[in-house]
């Protein structure tokens, strides 16, 4: 965003400056043309009236001198032609000279009028647009002379490039655009970083109130939102933890009293139901802990953590196999990350009979894939299995249905660490769970 804002500001300022320069140069050129036309009128009037008062014998000498410059008066053998309408310049000159003189514009157009002109200004026109024409003039004694009004001579080269002259201006504009962009984007970056920190840690320090009034108001609103979210999560977590914790005591008493039931078959069924209830209470506590962010974040060796989790699962009799290495560290809460991996592996073993864990290094992250040998999941239900207490199977059996909290807990923990959990049916059969965890860079 910083680059886009900087380019928009820079291009906008440069375009405005270029437009202003173009208008200024155009007005200056028009003023020069008007001044040049006025000077040409004065010069033409002076040449014609002087030639008229000179004796006829002295005129050739005078006309040799009058052919110098850009307003020229010279002798001609052509008769006075009156077929063309008067031009603006010839009409003005005729009015200044009076009725004793007669002017007639010529059809011939000086070739120098169409030649491109060299200019040191990139906004200046490349061709002279002022008066550039020829006409015949008849004096009082009847002699016809030819008057030529040509473009002014090009100015001498200045010896420096216009681009080099405007380079400091462009540098100042770029610096100004950068400062404005930085002042505009920095508060947005601070709020974006605060939102990212909030997603990773709900107890992160609030945003400092600084900057413009609007930025302070936005920061204050963000801090208030964070406080409300933290309060809601704390209340929900405490309520869930309290309910599940308080259920432990009556469930324990029920288990003790079930030992006195005489009917063995009934006793066994009640004990199984009670065990299921205790497991649900335990997973309810795990769900409450998965939303707890009080555990300290620290750098963890991903390979060592995966090896420990898979080794514990193998020691517990689960068919778990680990392949690959990530050779990277991640920033996380050790117990929470371990609980996330254990839930995913347990889920694979429970419903897919085994878990093949593969880890590989990516750019700035590691990809952990856990594949099982089960029947997979209907694509329409892959999003719903992350919902609390949702189970694909409607059976209440613990061996098949579970409580529907394992994937919910795993996703909660992954999202708190900036990770992502995805499900997909493998082409060779079974469900494949992919966990992508970001890499931790020391000092970042």
């Amino acid at each position: 965003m910083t680059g886009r804002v900087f380019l928009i500001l820079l291009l906008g300022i440069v375009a405005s400056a270029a437009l202003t320069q173009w208008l200024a140069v155009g007005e200056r050129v028009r003023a020069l043309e008007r001044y040049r036309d006025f000077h040409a009128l004065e010069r033409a009037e002076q040449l014609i009236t002087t030639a008229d008062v000179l004796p006829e014998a002295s005129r050739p000498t005078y006309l040799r001198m009058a052919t110098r410059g850009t307003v020229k008066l010279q002798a001609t053998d052509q008769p006075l032609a009156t077929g063309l309408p008067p031009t603006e310049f010839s009409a003005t000159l005729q009015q200044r000279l009076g009725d004793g003189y007669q002017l007639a514009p010529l059809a011939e157009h000086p070739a120098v009028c169409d030649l491109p002109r060299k200019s040191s200004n990139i906004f200046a026109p490349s061709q002279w647009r002022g008066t550039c024409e020829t006409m015949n003039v008849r004096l009082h004694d009847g002699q016809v002379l030819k008057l030529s009004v040509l473009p002014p001579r090009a100015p001498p080269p200045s010896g420096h490039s216009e681009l080099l002259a405007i380079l400091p201006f462009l540098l100042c504009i770029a610096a100004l655009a950068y400062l404005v962009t930085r002042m505009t984007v920095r508060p947005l970056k601070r709020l974006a970083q605060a939102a990212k920190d909030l997603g990773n840690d709900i107890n992160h320090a609030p945003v400092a109130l600084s900057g413009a009034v609007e930025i302070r108001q936005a920061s204050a609103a963000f801090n208030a939102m964070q406080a409300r979210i933290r309060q809601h999560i704390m209340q929900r977590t405490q309520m869930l933890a309290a309910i599940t914790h308080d259920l432990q005591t009556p469930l324990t008493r029920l288990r003790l009293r079930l030992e006195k039931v005489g009917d063995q078959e009934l006793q066994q069924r009640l004990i199984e139901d009670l065990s299921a209830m205790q497991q649900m209470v335990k997973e309810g506590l795990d769900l409450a802990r998965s939303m707890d962010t009080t555990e300290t974040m620290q750098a963890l060796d991903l390979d060592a953590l995966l090896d420990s989790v898979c080794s514990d699962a193998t020691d517990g009799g689960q068919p778990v196999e680990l392949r690959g290495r990530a050779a990277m560290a991640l920033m996380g809460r050790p117990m929470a990350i371990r609980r996330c991996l254990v839930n995913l592996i347990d889920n694979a073993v429970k419903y897919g009979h085994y878990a093949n864990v593969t880890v590989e290094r990516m750019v700035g992250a590691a990809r952990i894939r856990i594949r099982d040998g089960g029947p997979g999941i209907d694509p329409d239900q892959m999003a719903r299995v992350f919902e609390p207490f949702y189970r694909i199977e409607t059976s209440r059996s613990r061996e098949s249905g579970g409580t529907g909290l394992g994937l919910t807990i795993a996703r909660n923990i992954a999202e708190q660490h900036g990770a992502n959990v995805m499900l997909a049916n493998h082409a060779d059969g079974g469900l494949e769970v992919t966990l992508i965890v970001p890499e931790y860079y020391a000092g970042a």
Side-chain angles (χ1 to χ4, degrees), residues 40-69 71-76 97 101 137 139 141 143-147:
L41 282 172
E42 295 284 337
R43 178 65 173 165
E45 182 183 5
Q46 180 184 14
L47 291 176
I48 294 173
T49 54
T50 304
D52 188 50
V53 299
L54 287 176
E56 186 175 355
S58 302
R59 283 180 185 173
T61 304
Y62 172 75
L63 292 178
R64 283 196 298 270
M65 301 298 298
T67 55
R68 300 175 181 179
V71 180
K72 302 179 179 181
L73 186 64
Q74 53 190 342
T76 180
L97 291 174
Y101 302 89
V137 182
L139 304 181
D141 58 3
Q143 184 178 3
V144 178
L145 302 178
K146 181 181 179 181
L147 177 68

Side-chain angles (χ1 to χ4, degrees), residues 302 326 358-362 365-369 434-437:
L302 180 58
T358 305
V359 58
E360 57 183 342
R361 181 75 171 271
M362 301 172 59
R367 178 167 57 191
I368 305 171
R369 292 179 294 178
T434 302
L435 176 65
I436 298 179
V437 294

Side-chain angles (χ1 to χ4, degrees), residues 2-18 166-181:
T2 303
R4 291 196 299 270
V5 174
F6 174 75
L7 287 178
I8 290 173
L9 284 176
L10 182 61
L11 292 177
I13 296 176
V14 169
S16 300
I166 64 175
L167 182 61
F169 173 71
L170 295 177
L171 293 177
C172 292
I173 288 179
L176 177 62
Y178 174 76
L179 291 177
V180 173
T181 302

Side-chain angles (χ1 to χ4, degrees), residues 247-363:
L247 285 175
Q248 294 281 9
T249 301
L251 289 176
T252 303
R253 289 199 301 265
L254 285 174
R255 192 176 190 89
L256 293 175
R257 291 172 181 174
L258 285 177
E259 299 296 333
K260 301 178 181 180
V261 177
D263 189 339
Q264 294 296 325
E265 183 180 356
L266 177 60
Q267 183 190 49
Q268 185 62 31
R269 290 180 179 179
L270 292 175
I271 289 177
E272 290 178 358
D273 290 341
L274 187 60
S275 298
M277 293 176 63
Q278 287 179 326
Q279 183 63 23
M280 292 178 65
V281 171
K282 177 181 176 298
E283 293 190 5
L285 284 172
D286 290 339
L287 178 61
R289 293 192 188 100
S290 72
M291 296 180 289
D292 184 16
T293 59
T294 57
E295 187 182 359
T296 304
M297 300 278 288
Q298 56 183 281
L300 305 173
D301 188 333
L302 180 58
D303 292 325
L305 180 61
L306 281 172
D307 184 70
S308 174
V309 171
C310 293
S311 297
D312 291 345
T314 303
D315 294 341
Q318 294 179 327
V320 178
E321 180 183 358
L322 174 63
R323 289 176 296 187
R325 289 183 59 82
M328 60 164 263
L330 63 94
M331 177 62 68
R333 303 177 180 88
M335 296 302 297
I337 290 291
R338 187 179 185 87
R339 187 180 302 117
C340 174
L341 294 173
V342 168
N343 280 11
L344 294 177
I345 292 176
D346 286 347
N347 195 74
V349 173
K350 182 183 298 181
Y351 302 109
H353 313 298
Y354 64 84
N356 290 336
V357 183
T358 305
V359 58
E360 57 183 342
R361 181 75 171 271
M362 301 172 59
V363 179

